[in-house]
Amino acid sequence: MSPPALFWFRQDLRLADNPGLDSLGDRPALLVHVLDDSAAREHALGGAQRWWLHCSLAALDAALRARGSALHLARGDATRIIPKLADEIGAEEVIAGRLYEPWARRRDEAVAHTLEKAGRKLVLHTHSLLHEPHRLRTGAGRPYSVYTPFSRAIFALGEPHPPIPAPKRLTPVAHPPRGESLDALGLLPPGPDWWRGFSASWTPGETGAAERMEAFGKCAIDRYEEDRNTPRIEGTSRLSPHLRFGEISPRQAWHAAREAGLKGEAGFLKELIWREFSYHTLWHRPELPEQPLRAEYARFPWMASRPALRAWQRGLTGYPIVDAGMRQLWRTGWMHNRVRMVAASFLVKHLLQPWQQGEAWFWDTLVDGDLASNAANWQWVAGSGADAAPYFRVFNPVLQGRKFDAGGAYVRRWVPELAKLPDRHIHSPWEAPAEVLSRAGVTLGRDYPRPIIGHAEGRARALAAHAALRAEEAAA
C-alpha cells in the first residue's frame, strides 16, 4: 500500500476541482483543517467569516463522510500542528492549495522547512485562482499595475483547464489521531446573535455554491450587465463568499458561465479577472492591506473621527442609499456591489475617514471578506491603489440612489422608517416638505438623522484635501 499523505484544507473547502485532493488517488490520507488565528494576527477571520466557516466545515465533513473519510479539525499554530500530524500518521507529503496572503506565505515557508528537516515535503497546488500571480508579467517583465492589460493577458492565455470531478471515494488512514469537535473551535461569534439571520440569505458549503452558480447561470447571467447595478433585485451572482472559502473554484465558475452561453458572460468573467488582479497585486505588493500603494497617500490629510465612523457603521449617515447598504451588511453579511462603492466613497471622501477603517469594518462584517479583494477595492475607492479611481470621482449618494434605486425599493427594505416617503423624496428626505414628512411619519433628527454632512460640502472638502496633497507633492 502507498504511504499515507496529509491533505490540508484551507481556502478550498470543496471536493470537486480540487487538484490536491485529486492527487491523493487511493492513498490513505488524513484530511485536516486547522483554525490558526495566531498566524494571521490582525487579519484573523472576522465575525461574519467565522460563522460561514463553521457552516462550511460542517458541510465539508458530511461530504467527506459520504465518501468514506472524515474531516480532522485542530486549533492552534499550524506550523507545529501540521508537521506533528504528518509525523503521527507517517505521511511523506503534506498536500495543500497555495495561499497568497503575506502571513500565509510565511507560514507555508515555516511548515515546509520543518517538514523538510524530517524528510517530508509540502506540495502546493493552484486551488483558488485561475493562474499563479508570479507567472503573469507585462512585456517588460514587470507585474501588472493596471487592470485592462491584465485582463487582456488573462484572456490571451485561453480557456482554463476543465474542472476535475470530485473523488467518488477517499481512503482514511488506519488509525487517525483524535481531533477537535467543530463546536470546540469556537467559530460562532460570541455576544449578540447578529449572525443568526445570515442563514436566511446563505447556504454555505459546496452544494450551496453549486446551487447558487446554477441559478445564476440559468437566469441572472443573461441580464448581468443590465441588472448588476440594481440593488433591489438579485442581478449579481452572489458567489463571492463561496469563492472566498473555495466552495467553488474560479475555474468552475468560469466554465459554468461559458456553458450558459448568455450575453452577460463576458461581464461576469471580467469580475473573476478583477478578483485575480487583486490577488496579483497582493502577491507583488504585500503591503496592500495596510499601506497605500501610491506612496504620496501616506501623507493624505485624513480627519479621523470616531462619531463619523460610528454613524457610517450603524447606517445613520442621513443618506438613505448609504444607510441601506450598511444595514444590509449588518443583517446579511453582504452588501450589493454598487452600494459598496457608494458607501465606501462616502466614508473616505465625504467623511475623510482613513480607508483602513472601512476595510477593517468590512473585514469583520462581510461573509465574503477576502484580504486581497477587500484591500484592493478600498484602495481603489480611496485613489491610493493599483488602477485606482481618480481623486475627483466623488459619488453623489442622492443621484446614485435615484439612478440605481429609482423606485426606492432597496431603501424601503433596509431603512423602513422612510418606507412611506414618496419616490421623489426617498433618497433625500431632508428636501421633503414638512407635510410630506408628517404624512410619512418621519421626524428628521428623531426617526431618521439629517445628513451628517452636505454633499457639496463633503465633495469640496475631499477635493481640497487632494489638492493639498498634490501641492505638497509638487513642492517636495
Side-chain angles (χ1 to χ4, degrees):
M1 179 180 286
S2 301
L6 187 152
F7 182 83
W8 186 5
F9 278 106
R10 308 197 293 185
Q11 291 176 13
D12 51 0
L13 305 182
R14 65 181 184 274
L15 304 188
D17 200 36
N18 192 317
L21 196 65
D22 186 69
S23 74
L24 293 174
D26 59 0
R27 280 184 291 172
L30 184 68
L31 311 177
V32 179
H33 179 83
V34 181
L35 178 64
D36 185 1
D37 288 327
S38 62
R41 296 180 184 174
E42 67 272 18
H43 294 119
L45 293 177
Q49 297 169 63
R50 293 174 79 87
W51 170 84
W52 190 287
L53 179 60
H54 177 95
C55 300
S56 189
L57 290 176
L60 178 61
D61 182 56
L64 293 174
R65 289 180 184 276
R67 288 164 174 79
S69 190
L71 185 62
H72 179 99
L73 296 174
R75 180 175 186 171
D77 184 354
T79 63
R80 293 187 298 101
I81 291 172
I82 291 297
K84 182 175 182 293
L85 288 173
D87 181 64
E88 288 181 22
I89 66 171
E92 293 184 352
E93 291 184 340
V94 171
I95 302 167
R98 184 173 283 104
L99 299 180
Y100 306 93
E101 296 84 355
W103 62 265
R105 293 165 64 180
R106 292 191 297 269
R107 186 180 65 179
D108 281 353
E109 290 173 1
V111 170
H113 180 68
T114 302
L115 290 172
E116 186 178 352
K117 288 195 298 183
R120 300 183 172 92
K121 59 182 178 179
L122 177 64
V123 180
L124 299 177
H125 293 260
T126 304
H127 282 182
S128 55
L129 295 179
L130 295 169
H131 303 283
E132 290 296 334
H134 61 274
R135 294 179 181 170
L136 287 160
R137 297 278 178 169
T138 66
R142 301 188 183 93
Y144 285 91
S145 59
V146 179
Y147 168 75
T148 299
F150 178 83
S151 176
R152 292 196 196 103
I154 292 285
F155 280 116
L157 291 173
E159 295 296 289
H161 291 297
I164 302 168
K168 294 181 178 179
R169 185 157 185 83
L170 293 160
T171 306
V173 294
H175 303 288
R178 185 175 179 178
E180 300 275 2
S181 70
L182 180 57
D183 288 341
L185 296 186
L187 283 165
L188 294 179
D193 294 345
W194 59 275
W195 46 268
R196 292 197 182 276
F198 291 0
S199 57
S201 301
W202 304 103
T203 305
E206 187 171 11
T207 298
E211 290 171 350
R212 178 71 68 180
M213 185 71 239
E214 183 180 11
F216 177 62
K218 283 182 177 178
C219 305
I221 196 171
D222 195 33
R223 293 186 52 82
Y224 184 69
E225 293 294 349
E226 295 89 345
D227 292 349
R228 60 188 292 234
N229 285 309
T230 306
R232 66 178 175 82
I233 62 176
E234 284 206 12
T236 64
S237 73
R238 291 172 65 92
L239 282 169
S240 52
H242 298 291
L243 283 163
R244 183 262 178 269
F245 286 94
E247 298 165 349
I248 186 172
S249 73
R251 221 162 46 173
Q252 287 173 296
W254 181 289
H255 283 285
R258 285 291 202 205
E259 289 166 11
L262 301 176
K263 64 180 181 180
E265 166 199 309
F268 175 70
L269 297 184
K270 288 177 181 177
E271 290 300 312
L272 289 178
I273 295 173
W274 178 262
R275 177 178 179 272
E276 295 271 319
F277 181 59
S278 298
Y279 273 91
H280 181 84
T281 304
L282 178 64
W283 180 269
H284 294 287
R285 300 291 300 274
E287 72 273 22
L288 175 69
E290 293 92 13
Q291 300 297 326
L293 298 189
R294 297 187 179 189
E296 65 271 23
Y297 275 82
R299 300 185 299 278
F300 189 85
W302 301 111
M303 299 176 64
S305 164
R306 179 62 184 168
L309 176 64
R310 185 63 175 156
W312 178 81
Q313 290 171 336
R314 295 172 64 197
L316 294 173
T317 68
Y319 286 91
I321 192 69
V322 174
D323 295 340
M326 298 307 295
R327 297 184 196 187
Q328 180 187 32
L329 172 60
W330 185 253
R331 292 276 298 278
T332 71
W334 185 84
M335 191 194 305
H336 187 274
N337 63 297
R338 165 58 59 173
V339 186
R340 289 191 200 200
M341 289 191 288
V342 177
S345 174
F346 186 84
L347 182 71
V348 300
K349 293 187 175 175
H350 286 79
L351 299 183
L352 286 180
Q353 300 306 293
W355 60 265
Q356 293 93 335
Q357 296 283 358
E359 178 198 23
W361 184 252
F362 273 23
W363 179 256
D364 191 45
T365 54
L366 281 169
V367 292
D368 63 7
D370 175 291
L371 190 64
S373 296
N374 192 38
N377 286 330
W378 273 100
Q379 291 227 41
W380 181 85
V381 170
S384 61
D387 202 7
Y391 73 89
F392 51 80
R393 186 178 188 184
V394 182
F395 285 114
N396 182 327
V398 176
L399 296 183
Q400 288 287 308
R402 289 172 179 168
K403 180 175 182 180
F404 297 109
D405 186 34
Y410 179 74
V411 164
R412 289 187 173 88
R413 178 178 180 185
W414 297 109
V415 190
E417 60 266 41
L418 301 180
K420 294 182 181 179
L421 280 176
D423 294 358
R424 179 181 177 184
H425 299 296
I426 191 70
H427 292 292
S428 55
W430 61 90
E431 294 179 344
E435 61 272 19
V436 172
L437 289 170
S438 179
R439 285 197 300 269
V442 177
T443 298
L444 293 178
R446 184 192 70 185
D447 304 305
Y448 185 72
R450 296 181 183 277
I452 191 171
I453 189 172
H455 169 65
E457 178 189 353
R459 184 175 189 276
R461 193 170 69 168
L463 294 179
H466 281 84
L469 181 67
R470 295 198 310 279
E472 179 185 334
E473 186 70 15

